[in-house]
PDB file of all heavy atoms in Angstrom:
ATOM      1  N   TYR T 164      83.715 101.673  91.177  1.00 96.00           N
ATOM      2  CA  TYR T 164      83.224 100.953  92.349  1.00 96.00           C
ATOM      3  C   TYR T 164      84.361 100.055  92.892  1.00 96.00           C
ATOM      4  O   TYR T 164      85.220  99.554  92.130  1.00 96.00           O
ATOM      5  CB  TYR T 164      82.021 100.053  92.001  1.00 96.00           C
ATOM      6  CG  TYR T 164      80.941 100.816  91.265  1.00 96.00           C
ATOM      7  CD1 TYR T 164      80.955 100.865  89.851  1.00 96.00           C
ATOM      8  CD2 TYR T 164      79.869 101.364  91.921  1.00 96.00           C
ATOM      9  CE1 TYR T 164      80.008 101.513  89.155  1.00 96.00           C
ATOM     10  CE2 TYR T 164      78.865 101.997  91.197  1.00 96.00           C
ATOM     11  CZ  TYR T 164      78.906 102.082  89.814  1.00 96.00           C
ATOM     12  OH  TYR T 164      77.944 102.731  89.130  1.00 96.00           O
ATOM     13  N   ASN T 165      84.333  99.810  94.176  1.00 97.00           N
ATOM     14  CA  ASN T 165      85.214  98.774  94.715  1.00 97.00           C
ATOM     15  C   ASN T 165      84.631  98.176  95.971  1.00 97.00           C
ATOM     16  O   ASN T 165      83.728  98.709  96.627  1.00 97.00           O
ATOM     17  CB  ASN T 165      86.683  99.298  94.945  1.00 97.00           C
ATOM     18  CG  ASN T 165      86.751 100.374  96.035  1.00 97.00           C
ATOM     19  OD1 ASN T 165      85.893 100.534  96.873  1.00 97.00           O
ATOM     20  ND2 ASN T 165      87.838 101.138  95.991  1.00 97.00           N
ATOM     21  N   GLY T 166      85.174  97.014  96.283  1.00 97.00           N
ATOM     22  CA  GLY T 166      84.813  96.280  97.512  1.00 97.00           C
ATOM     23  C   GLY T 166      85.982  95.524  98.014  1.00 97.00           C
ATOM     24  O   GLY T 166      86.798  95.037  97.298  1.00 97.00           O
ATOM     25  N   THR T 167      86.099  95.479  99.380  1.00 98.00           N
ATOM     26  CA  THR T 167      87.269  94.828  99.989  1.00 98.00           C
ATOM     27  C   THR T 167      86.774  93.958 101.188  1.00 98.00           C
ATOM     28  O   THR T 167      85.886  94.377 101.940  1.00 98.00           O
ATOM     29  CB  THR T 167      88.255  95.887 100.574  1.00 98.00           C
ATOM     30  OG1 THR T 167      88.692  96.719  99.504  1.00 98.00           O
ATOM     31  CG2 THR T 167      89.473  95.204 101.203  1.00 98.00           C
ATOM     32  N   LEU T 168      87.419  92.795 101.320  1.00 98.00           N
ATOM     33  CA  LEU T 168      87.208  91.918 102.500  1.00 98.00           C
ATOM     34  C   LEU T 168      88.531  91.802 103.198  1.00 98.00           C
ATOM     35  O   LEU T 168      89.598  91.446 102.607  1.00 98.00           O
ATOM     36  CB  LEU T 168      86.712  90.560 102.116  1.00 98.00           C
ATOM     37  CG  LEU T 168      85.210  90.461 101.783  1.00 98.00           C
ATOM     38  CD1 LEU T 168      84.891  88.989 101.342  1.00 98.00           C
ATOM     39  CD2 LEU T 168      84.364  90.825 102.979  1.00 98.00           C
ATOM     40  N   HIS T 169      88.579  92.123 104.512  1.00 98.00           N
ATOM     41  CA  HIS T 169      89.732  91.983 105.385  1.00 98.00           C
ATOM     42  C   HIS T 169      89.499  90.821 106.362  1.00 98.00           C
ATOM     43  O   HIS T 169      88.418  90.742 106.960  1.00 98.00           O
ATOM     44  CB  HIS T 169      90.002  93.221 106.202  1.00 98.00           C
ATOM     45  CG  HIS T 169      90.005  94.510 105.460  1.00 98.00           C
ATOM     46  ND1 HIS T 169      91.188  95.261 105.290  1.00 98.00           N
ATOM     47  CD2 HIS T 169      89.042  95.220 104.928  1.00 98.00           C
ATOM     48  CE1 HIS T 169      90.889  96.361 104.620  1.00 98.00           C
ATOM     49  NE2 HIS T 169      89.592  96.398 104.396  1.00 98.00           N
ATOM     50  N   PHE T 170      90.503  89.942 106.513  1.00 98.00           N
ATOM     51  CA  PHE T 170      90.419  88.894 107.555  1.00 98.00           C
ATOM     52  C   PHE T 170      91.479  89.260 108.569  1.00 98.00           C
ATOM     53  O   PHE T 170      92.671  89.235 108.253  1.00 98.00           O
ATOM     54  CB  PHE T 170      90.731  87.551 106.854  1.00 98.00           C
ATOM     55  CG  PHE T 170      89.686  87.209 105.817  1.00 98.00           C
ATOM     56  CD1 PHE T 170      89.894  87.548 104.458  1.00 98.00           C
ATOM     57  CD2 PHE T 170      88.488  86.590 106.127  1.00 98.00           C
ATOM     58  CE1 PHE T 170      88.946  87.315 103.496  1.00 98.00           C
ATOM     59  CE2 PHE T 170      87.543  86.294 105.182  1.00 98.00           C
ATOM     60  CZ  PHE T 170      87.763  86.647 103.848  1.00 98.00           C
ATOM     61  N   ILE T 171      91.015  89.560 109.808  1.00 98.00           N
ATOM     62  CA  ILE T 171      91.860  90.218 110.762  1.00 98.00           C
ATOM     63  C   ILE T 171      92.124  89.369 111.998  1.00 98.00           C
ATOM     64  O   ILE T 171      91.150  88.777 112.556  1.00 98.00           O
ATOM     65  CB  ILE T 171      91.234  91.569 111.170  1.00 98.00           C
ATOM     66  CG1 ILE T 171      90.932  92.427 109.918  1.00 98.00           C
ATOM     67  CG2 ILE T 171      92.115  92.357 112.182  1.00 98.00           C
ATOM     68  CD1 ILE T 171      90.017  93.629 110.209  1.00 98.00           C
ATOM     69  N   TYR T 172      93.360  89.354 112.469  1.00 98.00           N
ATOM     70  CA  TYR T 172      93.686  88.703 113.729  1.00 98.00           C
ATOM     71  C   TYR T 172      94.270  89.743 114.677  1.00 98.00           C
ATOM     72  O   TYR T 172      95.260  90.442 114.360  1.00 98.00           O
ATOM     73  CB  TYR T 172      94.761  87.587 113.494  1.00 98.00           C
ATOM     74  CG  TYR T 172      95.050  86.872 114.795  1.00 98.00           C
ATOM     75  CD1 TYR T 172      94.217  85.913 115.315  1.00 98.00           C
ATOM     76  CD2 TYR T 172      96.286  87.101 115.476  1.00 98.00           C
ATOM     77  CE1 TYR T 172      94.520  85.246 116.482  1.00 98.00           C
ATOM     78  CE2 TYR T 172      96.609  86.414 116.632  1.00 98.00           C
ATOM     79  CZ  TYR T 172      95.673  85.475 117.125  1.00 98.00           C
ATOM     80  OH  TYR T 172      96.004  84.807 118.300  1.00 98.00           O
ATOM     81  N   HIS T 173      93.575  89.904 115.842  1.00 97.00           N
ATOM     82  CA  HIS T 173      94.033  90.847 116.814  1.00 97.00           C
ATOM     83  C   HIS T 173      94.920  90.145 117.849  1.00 97.00           C
ATOM     84  O   HIS T 173      94.410  89.286 118.658  1.00 97.00           O
ATOM     85  CB  HIS T 173      92.806  91.438 117.588  1.00 97.00           C
ATOM     86  CG  HIS T 173      91.773  92.013 116.628  1.00 97.00           C
ATOM     87  ND1 HIS T 173      91.928  93.262 116.079  1.00 97.00           N
ATOM     88  CD2 HIS T 173      90.620  91.489 116.145  1.00 97.00           C
ATOM     89  CE1 HIS T 173      90.878  93.514 115.298  1.00 97.00           C
ATOM     90  NE2 HIS T 173      90.080  92.451 115.286  1.00 97.00           N
ATOM     91  N   THR T 174      96.233  90.382 117.789  1.00 97.00           N
ATOM     92  CA  THR T 174      97.131  89.643 118.646  1.00 97.00           C
ATOM     93  C   THR T 174      97.027  90.105 120.083  1.00 97.00           C
ATOM     94  O   THR T 174      97.183  89.321 121.009  1.00 97.00           O
ATOM     95  CB  THR T 174      98.595  89.852 118.183  1.00 97.00           C
ATOM     96  OG1 THR T 174      98.925  91.230 118.311  1.00 97.00           O
ATOM     97  CG2 THR T 174      98.768  89.373 116.745  1.00 97.00           C
ATOM     98  N   ASN T 175      96.716  91.388 120.284  1.00 95.00           N
ATOM     99  CA  ASN T 175      96.445  91.935 121.626  1.00 95.00           C
ATOM    100  C   ASN T 175      95.717  93.274 121.411  1.00 95.00           C
ATOM    101  O   ASN T 175      95.316  93.606 120.310  1.00 95.00           O
ATOM    102  CB  ASN T 175      97.756  92.169 122.445  1.00 95.00           C
ATOM    103  CG  ASN T 175      98.798  92.925 121.629  1.00 95.00           C
ATOM    104  OD1 ASN T 175      98.546  93.963 121.050  1.00 95.00           O
ATOM    105  ND2 ASN T 175     100.010  92.390 121.611  1.00 95.00           N
ATOM    106  N   ASP T 176      95.577  94.082 122.427  1.00 92.00           N
ATOM    107  CA  ASP T 176      94.814  95.333 122.333  1.00 92.00           C
ATOM    108  C   ASP T 176      95.585  96.397 121.527  1.00 92.00           C
ATOM    109  O   ASP T 176      94.958  97.343 121.051  1.00 92.00           O
ATOM    110  CB  ASP T 176      94.588  95.937 123.733  1.00 92.00           C
ATOM    111  CG  ASP T 176      93.574  95.104 124.525  1.00 92.00           C
ATOM    112  OD1 ASP T 176      92.820  94.362 123.894  1.00 92.00           O
ATOM    113  OD2 ASP T 176      93.547  95.191 125.774  1.00 92.00           O
ATOM    114  N   ALA T 177      96.851  96.164 121.240  1.00 96.00           N
ATOM    115  CA  ALA T 177      97.616  97.196 120.514  1.00 96.00           C
ATOM    116  C   ALA T 177      97.922  96.801 119.063  1.00 96.00           C
ATOM    117  O   ALA T 177      98.045  97.685 118.221  1.00 96.00           O
ATOM    118  CB  ALA T 177      98.953  97.439 121.273  1.00 96.00           C
ATOM    119  N   LEU T 178      98.071  95.496 118.779  1.00 98.00           N
ATOM    120  CA  LEU T 178      98.547  95.061 117.471  1.00 98.00           C
ATOM    121  C   LEU T 178      97.502  94.186 116.756  1.00 98.00           C
ATOM    122  O   LEU T 178      96.967  93.251 117.342  1.00 98.00           O
ATOM    123  CB  LEU T 178      99.831  94.261 117.619  1.00 98.00           C
ATOM    124  CG  LEU T 178     100.427  93.660 116.326  1.00 98.00           C
ATOM    125  CD1 LEU T 178     100.813  94.752 115.352  1.00 98.00           C
ATOM    126  CD2 LEU T 178     101.639  92.777 116.657  1.00 98.00           C
ATOM    127  N   SER T 179      97.211  94.531 115.513  1.00 98.00           N
ATOM    128  CA  SER T 179      96.305  93.697 114.628  1.00 98.00           C
ATOM    129  C   SER T 179      97.008  93.453 113.311  1.00 98.00           C
ATOM    130  O   SER T 179      97.662  94.375 112.776  1.00 98.00           O
ATOM    131  CB  SER T 179      95.011  94.489 114.372  1.00 98.00           C
ATOM    132  OG  SER T 179      94.269  94.697 115.574  1.00 98.00           O
ATOM    133  N   VAL T 180      96.836  92.238 112.757  1.00 98.00           N
ATOM    134  CA  VAL T 180      97.405  91.908 111.461  1.00 98.00           C
ATOM    135  C   VAL T 180      96.301  91.309 110.608  1.00 98.00           C
ATOM    136  O   VAL T 180      95.290  90.819 111.159  1.00 98.00           O
ATOM    137  CB  VAL T 180      98.574  90.917 111.603  1.00 98.00           C
ATOM    138  CG1 VAL T 180      99.723  91.571 112.326  1.00 98.00           C
ATOM    139  CG2 VAL T 180      98.155  89.643 112.298  1.00 98.00           C
ATOM    140  N   GLY T 181      96.417  91.446 109.279  1.00 98.00           N
ATOM    141  CA  GLY T 181      95.373  90.894 108.473  1.00 98.00           C
ATOM    142  C   GLY T 181      95.789  90.628 107.018  1.00 98.00           C
ATOM    143  O   GLY T 181      96.895  90.979 106.632  1.00 98.00           O
ATOM    144  N   ALA T 182      94.900  89.955 106.299  1.00 98.00           N
ATOM    145  CA  ALA T 182      95.024  89.717 104.894  1.00 98.00           C
ATOM    146  C   ALA T 182      93.735  90.197 104.219  1.00 98.00           C
ATOM    147  O   ALA T 182      92.680  90.118 104.794  1.00 98.00           O
ATOM    148  CB  ALA T 182      95.268  88.249 104.580  1.00 98.00           C
ATOM    149  N   TYR T 183      93.848  90.685 102.990  1.00 98.00           N
ATOM    150  CA  TYR T 183      92.700  91.231 102.352  1.00 98.00           C
ATOM    151  C   TYR T 183      92.663  91.032 100.816  1.00 98.00           C
ATOM    152  O   TYR T 183      93.682  90.733 100.207  1.00 98.00           O
ATOM    153  CB  TYR T 183      92.566  92.732 102.623  1.00 98.00           C
ATOM    154  CG  TYR T 183      93.662  93.573 102.074  1.00 98.00           C
ATOM    155  CD1 TYR T 183      93.619  94.145 100.807  1.00 98.00           C
ATOM    156  CD2 TYR T 183      94.842  93.845 102.822  1.00 98.00           C
ATOM    157  CE1 TYR T 183      94.627  94.924 100.298  1.00 98.00           C
ATOM    158  CE2 TYR T 183      95.859  94.580 102.309  1.00 98.00           C
ATOM    159  CZ  TYR T 183      95.738  95.150 101.035  1.00 98.00           C
ATOM    160  OH  TYR T 183      96.773  95.888 100.543  1.00 98.00           O
ATOM    161  N   TYR T 184      91.472  91.158 100.286  1.00 98.00           N
ATOM    162  CA  TYR T 184      91.240  91.080  98.820  1.00 98.00           C
ATOM    163  C   TYR T 184      90.396  92.248  98.411  1.00 98.00           C
ATOM    164  O   TYR T 184      89.364  92.527  99.057  1.00 98.00           O
ATOM    165  CB  TYR T 184      90.560  89.762  98.436  1.00 98.00           C
ATOM    166  CG  TYR T 184      89.965  89.845  97.037  1.00 98.00           C
ATOM    167  CD1 TYR T 184      90.768  89.763  95.924  1.00 98.00           C
ATOM    168  CD2 TYR T 184      88.596  89.961  96.841  1.00 98.00           C
ATOM    169  CE1 TYR T 184      90.220  89.849  94.612  1.00 98.00           C
ATOM    170  CE2 TYR T 184      88.023  90.011  95.576  1.00 98.00           C
ATOM    171  CZ  TYR T 184      88.864  89.980  94.488  1.00 98.00           C
ATOM    172  OH  TYR T 184      88.303  90.027  93.192  1.00 98.00           O
ATOM    173  N   THR T 185      90.763  92.937  97.321  1.00 98.00           N
ATOM    174  CA  THR T 185      89.996  94.084  96.840  1.00 98.00           C
ATOM    175  C   THR T 185      89.706  93.927  95.339  1.00 98.00           C
ATOM    176  O   THR T 185      90.588  93.454  94.581  1.00 98.00           O
ATOM    177  CB  THR T 185      90.810  95.413  97.035  1.00 98.00           C
ATOM    178  OG1 THR T 185      91.029  95.620  98.429  1.00 98.00           O
ATOM    179  CG2 THR T 185      89.999  96.582  96.444  1.00 98.00           C
ATOM    180  N   ARG T 186      88.527  94.330  94.942  1.00 96.00           N
ATOM    181  CA  ARG T 186      88.185  94.380  93.547  1.00 96.00           C
ATOM    182  C   ARG T 186      87.795  95.783  93.179  1.00 96.00           C
ATOM    183  O   ARG T 186      86.922  96.376  93.788  1.00 96.00           O
ATOM    184  CB  ARG T 186      87.004  93.474  93.268  1.00 96.00           C
ATOM    185  CG  ARG T 186      86.453  93.520  91.832  1.00 96.00           C
ATOM    186  CD  ARG T 186      87.304  92.776  90.853  1.00 96.00           C
ATOM    187  NE  ARG T 186      86.701  92.689  89.501  1.00 96.00           N
ATOM    188  CZ  ARG T 186      87.094  91.880  88.504  1.00 96.00           C
ATOM    189  NH1 ARG T 186      88.078  91.076  88.767  1.00 96.00           N
ATOM    190  NH2 ARG T 186      86.496  91.906  87.379  1.00 96.00           N
ATOM    191  N   ASP T 187      88.541  96.437  92.211  1.00 96.00           N
ATOM    192  CA  ASP T 187      88.225  97.751  91.732  1.00 96.00           C
ATOM    193  C   ASP T 187      87.626  97.641  90.328  1.00 96.00           C
ATOM    194  O   ASP T 187      88.102  96.813  89.530  1.00 96.00           O
ATOM    195  CB  ASP T 187      89.453  98.636  91.645  1.00 96.00           C
ATOM    196  CG  ASP T 187      89.955  99.042  93.034  1.00 96.00           C
ATOM    197  OD1 ASP T 187      89.412 100.003  93.593  1.00 96.00           O
ATOM    198  OD2 ASP T 187      90.911  98.446  93.510  1.00 96.00           O
ATOM    199  N   ASP T 188      86.678  98.452  89.997  1.00 95.00           N
ATOM    200  CA  ASP T 188      86.022  98.453  88.712  1.00 95.00           C
ATOM    201  C   ASP T 188      85.741  99.895  88.264  1.00 95.00           C
ATOM    202  O   ASP T 188      85.015 100.606  88.920  1.00 95.00           O
ATOM    203  CB  ASP T 188      84.699  97.676  88.764  1.00 95.00           C
ATOM    204  CG  ASP T 188      83.969  97.559  87.443  1.00 95.00           C
ATOM    205  OD1 ASP T 188      84.413  98.232  86.475  1.00 95.00           O
ATOM    206  OD2 ASP T 188      83.014  96.790  87.334  1.00 95.00           O
ATOM    207  N   LEU T 189      86.357 100.324  87.133  1.00 90.00           N
ATOM    208  CA  LEU T 189      86.168 101.656  86.654  1.00 90.00           C
ATOM    209  C   LEU T 189      85.541 101.573  85.256  1.00 90.00           C
ATOM    210  O   LEU T 189      86.175 101.051  84.316  1.00 90.00           O
ATOM    211  CB  LEU T 189      87.501 102.419  86.561  1.00 90.00           C
ATOM    212  CG  LEU T 189      87.421 103.870  86.002  1.00 90.00           C
ATOM    213  CD1 LEU T 189      86.548 104.750  86.958  1.00 90.00           C
ATOM    214  CD2 LEU T 189      88.831 104.462  85.887  1.00 90.00           C
ATOM    215  N   ASP T 190      84.276 101.990  85.146  1.00 79.00           N
ATOM    216  CA  ASP T 190      83.562 102.005  83.886  1.00 79.00           C
ATOM    217  C   ASP T 190      83.390 100.616  83.279  1.00 79.00           C
ATOM    218  O   ASP T 190      83.230 100.482  82.063  1.00 79.00           O
ATOM    219  CB  ASP T 190      84.252 102.945  82.881  1.00 79.00           C
ATOM    220  CG  ASP T 190      83.427 103.215  81.628  1.00 79.00           C
ATOM    221  OD1 ASP T 190      82.164 103.237  81.764  1.00 79.00           O
ATOM    222  OD2 ASP T 190      84.009 103.317  80.513  1.00 79.00           O
ATOM    223  N   GLY T 191      83.459  99.561  84.086  1.00 72.00           N
ATOM    224  CA  GLY T 191      83.232  98.202  83.590  1.00 72.00           C
ATOM    225  C   GLY T 191      84.337  97.598  82.734  1.00 72.00           C
ATOM    226  O   GLY T 191      84.255  96.434  82.363  1.00 72.00           O
ATOM    227  N   ASP T 192      85.374  98.428  82.333  1.00 73.00           N
ATOM    228  CA  ASP T 192      86.358  97.930  81.480  1.00 73.00           C
ATOM    229  C   ASP T 192      87.755  97.926  82.052  1.00 73.00           C
ATOM    230  O   ASP T 192      88.726  97.420  81.471  1.00 73.00           O
ATOM    231  CB  ASP T 192      86.407  98.738  80.168  1.00 73.00           C
ATOM    232  CG  ASP T 192      85.103  98.619  79.366  1.00 73.00           C
ATOM    233  OD1 ASP T 192      84.612  97.507  79.295  1.00 73.00           O
ATOM    234  OD2 ASP T 192      84.614  99.638  78.847  1.00 73.00           O
ATOM    235  N   ASN T 193      87.960  98.601  83.204  1.00 77.00           N
ATOM    236  CA  ASN T 193      89.251  98.730  83.818  1.00 77.00           C
ATOM    237  C   ASN T 193      89.178  98.137  85.217  1.00 77.00           C
ATOM    238  O   ASN T 193      88.987  98.850  86.222  1.00 77.00           O
ATOM    239  CB  ASN T 193      89.635 100.198  83.868  1.00 77.00           C
ATOM    240  CG  ASN T 193      89.708 100.831  82.506  1.00 77.00           C
ATOM    241  OD1 ASN T 193      90.687 100.609  81.753  1.00 77.00           O
ATOM    242  ND2 ASN T 193      88.719 101.581  82.112  1.00 77.00           N
ATOM    243  N   ASP T 194      89.313  96.845  85.299  1.00 90.00           N
ATOM    244  CA  ASP T 194      89.219  96.110  86.587  1.00 90.00           C
ATOM    245  C   ASP T 194      90.564  95.743  87.099  1.00 90.00           C
ATOM    246  O   ASP T 194      91.571  95.602  86.391  1.00 90.00           O
ATOM    247  CB  ASP T 194      88.446  94.813  86.380  1.00 90.00           C
ATOM    248  CG  ASP T 194      86.993  95.025  85.839  1.00 90.00           C
ATOM    249  OD1 ASP T 194      86.515  96.182  86.043  1.00 90.00           O
ATOM    250  OD2 ASP T 194      86.398  94.135  85.322  1.00 90.00           O
ATOM    251  N   ALA T 195      90.644  95.663  88.437  1.00 93.00           N
ATOM    252  CA  ALA T 195      91.888  95.281  89.134  1.00 93.00           C
ATOM    253  C   ALA T 195      91.527  94.431  90.337  1.00 93.00           C
ATOM    254  O   ALA T 195      90.625  94.764  91.049  1.00 93.00           O
ATOM    255  CB  ALA T 195      92.723  96.503  89.509  1.00 93.00           C
ATOM    256  N   ASN T 196      92.312  93.340  90.550  1.00 95.00           N
ATOM    257  CA  ASN T 196      92.208  92.524  91.752  1.00 95.00           C
ATOM    258  C   ASN T 196      93.483  92.781  92.554  1.00 95.00           C
ATOM    259  O   ASN T 196      94.577  92.740  92.058  1.00 95.00           O
ATOM    260  CB  ASN T 196      92.171  91.024  91.346  1.00 95.00           C
ATOM    261  CG  ASN T 196      90.852  90.716  90.644  1.00 95.00           C
ATOM    262  OD1 ASN T 196      89.789  91.165  90.997  1.00 95.00           O
ATOM    263  ND2 ASN T 196      90.982  89.923  89.542  1.00 95.00           N
ATOM    264  N   THR T 197      93.280  92.990  93.868  1.00 96.00           N
ATOM    265  CA  THR T 197      94.438  93.226  94.768  1.00 96.00           C
ATOM    266  C   THR T 197      94.432  92.266  95.923  1.00 96.00           C
ATOM    267  O   THR T 197      93.354  92.057  96.532  1.00 96.00           O
ATOM    268  CB  THR T 197      94.377  94.688  95.273  1.00 96.00           C
ATOM    269  OG1 THR T 197      94.308  95.599  94.185  1.00 96.00           O
ATOM    270  CG2 THR T 197      95.615  94.983  96.106  1.00 96.00           C
ATOM    271  N   TYR T 198      95.571  91.682  96.230  1.00 97.00           N
ATOM    272  CA  TYR T 198      95.694  90.733  97.325  1.00 97.00           C
ATOM    273  C   TYR T 198      96.826  91.288  98.232  1.00 97.00           C
ATOM    274  O   TYR T 198      97.925  91.552  97.712  1.00 97.00           O
ATOM    275  CB  TYR T 198      96.054  89.376  96.850  1.00 97.00           C
ATOM    276  CG  TYR T 198      95.191  88.834  95.709  1.00 97.00           C
ATOM    277  CD1 TYR T 198      95.465  89.144  94.410  1.00 97.00           C
ATOM    278  CD2 TYR T 198      94.080  88.042  96.033  1.00 97.00           C
ATOM    279  CE1 TYR T 198      94.640  88.656  93.390  1.00 97.00           C
ATOM    280  CE2 TYR T 198      93.248  87.557  95.033  1.00 97.00           C
ATOM    281  CZ  TYR T 198      93.559  87.907  93.691  1.00 97.00           C
ATOM    282  OH  TYR T 198      92.746  87.425  92.706  1.00 97.00           O
ATOM    283  N   GLY T 199      96.570  91.447  99.517  1.00 98.00           N
ATOM    284  CA  GLY T 199      97.589  92.017 100.343  1.00 98.00           C
ATOM    285  C   GLY T 199      97.584  91.596 101.786  1.00 98.00           C
ATOM    286  O   GLY T 199      96.646  90.912 102.240  1.00 98.00           O
ATOM    287  N   ILE T 200      98.560  92.043 102.491  1.00 98.00           N
ATOM    288  CA  ILE T 200      98.667  91.880 103.945  1.00 98.00           C
ATOM    289  C   ILE T 200      98.785  93.235 104.586  1.00 98.00           C
ATOM    290  O   ILE T 200      99.245  94.217 103.929  1.00 98.00           O
ATOM    291  CB  ILE T 200      99.859  90.958 104.359  1.00 98.00           C
ATOM    292  CG1 ILE T 200     101.154  91.539 103.817  1.00 98.00           C
ATOM    293  CG2 ILE T 200      99.627  89.549 103.870  1.00 98.00           C
ATOM    294  CD1 ILE T 200     102.390  90.730 104.311  1.00 98.00           C
ATOM    295  N   GLU T 201      98.410  93.357 105.845  1.00 98.00           N
ATOM    296  CA  GLU T 201      98.377  94.662 106.538  1.00 98.00           C
ATOM    297  C   GLU T 201      98.593  94.456 108.035  1.00 98.00           C
ATOM    298  O   GLU T 201      98.428  93.391 108.565  1.00 98.00           O
ATOM    299  CB  GLU T 201      97.006  95.313 106.291  1.00 98.00           C
ATOM    300  CG  GLU T 201      95.805  94.482 106.704  1.00 98.00           C
ATOM    301  CD  GLU T 201      94.507  94.966 106.141  1.00 98.00           C
ATOM    302  OE1 GLU T 201      94.429  96.145 105.696  1.00 98.00           O
ATOM    303  OE2 GLU T 201      93.531  94.185 106.184  1.00 98.00           O
ATOM    304  N   ALA T 202      98.968  95.569 108.647  1.00 98.00           N
ATOM    305  CA  ALA T 202      99.148  95.503 110.111  1.00 98.00           C
ATOM    306  C   ALA T 202      98.929  96.899 110.662  1.00 98.00           C
ATOM    307  O   ALA T 202      99.165  97.917 109.996  1.00 98.00           O
ATOM    308  CB  ALA T 202     100.614  95.073 110.445  1.00 98.00           C
ATOM    309  N   GLY T 203      98.429  96.944 111.945  1.00 98.00           N
ATOM    310  CA  GLY T 203      98.203  98.177 112.626  1.00 98.00           C
ATOM    311  C   GLY T 203      98.654  98.115 114.029  1.00 98.00           C
ATOM    312  O   GLY T 203      98.434  97.086 114.691  1.00 98.00           O
ATOM    313  N   TYR T 204      99.283  99.178 114.527  1.00 98.00           N
ATOM    314  CA  TYR T 204      99.735  99.216 115.926  1.00 98.00           C
ATOM    315  C   TYR T 204      99.325 100.514 116.572  1.00 98.00           C
ATOM    316  O   TYR T 204      99.512 101.594 115.984  1.00 98.00           O
ATOM    317  CB  TYR T 204     101.312  99.063 115.969  1.00 98.00           C
ATOM    318  CG  TYR T 204     101.848  98.965 117.365  1.00 98.00           C
ATOM    319  CD1 TYR T 204     101.702  97.829 118.082  1.00 98.00           C
ATOM    320  CD2 TYR T 204     102.523 100.058 117.911  1.00 98.00           C
ATOM    321  CE1 TYR T 204     102.253  97.741 119.392  1.00 98.00           C
ATOM    322  CE2 TYR T 204     103.037  99.945 119.189  1.00 98.00           C
ATOM    323  CZ  TYR T 204     102.878  98.787 119.928  1.00 98.00           C
ATOM    324  OH  TYR T 204     103.391  98.710 121.196  1.00 98.00           O
ATOM    325  N   GLU T 205      98.776 100.439 117.736  1.00 95.00           N
ATOM    326  CA  GLU T 205      98.276 101.610 118.423  1.00 95.00           C
ATOM    327  C   GLU T 205      98.753 101.607 119.889  1.00 95.00           C
ATOM    328  O   GLU T 205      98.560 100.644 120.606  1.00 95.00           O
ATOM    329  CB  GLU T 205      96.772 101.699 118.384  1.00 95.00           C
ATOM    330  CG  GLU T 205      96.140 102.984 118.921  1.00 95.00           C
ATOM    331  CD  GLU T 205      94.663 103.066 118.636  1.00 95.00           C
ATOM    332  OE1 GLU T 205      94.219 102.573 117.626  1.00 95.00           O
ATOM    333  OE2 GLU T 205      93.981 103.645 119.477  1.00 95.00           O
TER     334      GLU T 205
END
């Protein structure tokens, strides 16, 4: 199972940037926390 929250800032209609946190859980014993940044351009 996993879940992610993204906090996103749209600078204009073409560019978006964000920060996110993800929690992954495999069989209750193999967990991972991920913290990252992201960007998208269209």
Side-chain angles (χ1 to χ4, degrees):
Y164 309 87
N165 64 20
T167 302
L168 281 177
H169 309 250
F170 300 90
I171 305 167
Y172 183 75
H173 307 280
T174 63
N175 52 47
D176 291 339
L178 177 64
S179 298
V180 296
Y183 64 91
Y184 163 75
T185 299
R186 175 79 174 192
D187 288 281
D188 182 349
L189 181 62
D190 191 33
D192 297 319
N193 300 282
D194 299 340
N196 295 316
T197 305
Y198 310 85
I200 56 175
E201 56 195 343
Y204 185 73
E205 188 172 326

